């Protein structure tokens, strides 16, 4: 999958999930503390969020990282909104 296409597809899924909850980018900032300019970049496919930021966004949008990144749930890993934050917390502790 092409890097540009992947970023654009991810951005569209983030925007769609946010809009489905009637949230503005400012609302998403308030929940994640990710700058609204970065959220805008993610949604336009200009930048790809880090794993930590994707976990925060997924949690704030009450979805999973898998659903945002791949567009569907993975059968390989059981995934809930809290798992993303747990993974990020594990990485923070380990590194």
């Amino acid at each position: 999958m092409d890097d540009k296409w992947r970023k654009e597809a991810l951005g569209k899924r983030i925007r769609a999930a946010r809009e489905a909850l009637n949230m503005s980018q400012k609302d998403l900032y308030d929940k994640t503390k990710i700058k609204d300019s970065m959220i805008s970049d993610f949604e336009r496919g200009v930048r790809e969020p880090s794993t930590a930021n994707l976990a925060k966004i997924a949690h704030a949008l009450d979805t999973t990282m898998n659903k945002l990144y791949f567009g569907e749930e993975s059968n390989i890993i059981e995934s809930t909104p809290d798992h993303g934050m747990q993974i990020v917390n594990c990485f923070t502790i380990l590194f």
Side-chain angles (χ1 to χ4, degrees), residues 44-59:
R44 291 182 293 119
V46 174
R47 298 172 68 164
E48 188 169 352
S50 66
T51 303
N53 282 341
L54 187 60
K56 290 177 186 178
I57 291 168
H59 184 72

Side-chain angles (χ1 to χ4, degrees), residues 11-25 27-28 43 60-63 67-68:
K12 287 178 183 178
R13 286 190 290 270
I14 291 171
R15 175 178 285 142
R18 177 180 59 75
E19 289 177 345
L21 296 174
N22 294 315
M23 291 176 70
S24 67
Q25 288 181 349
D27 294 332
L28 188 54
E43 289 186 356
L61 297 176
D62 196 30
T63 190
K67 189 150 188 170
L68 290 177

Side-chain angles (χ1 to χ4, degrees), residues 79-90:
S79 183
T80 66
D82 291 341
H83 281 129
M85 291 305 292
Q86 291 171 2
I87 291 168
V88 170
N89 290 338
C90 289

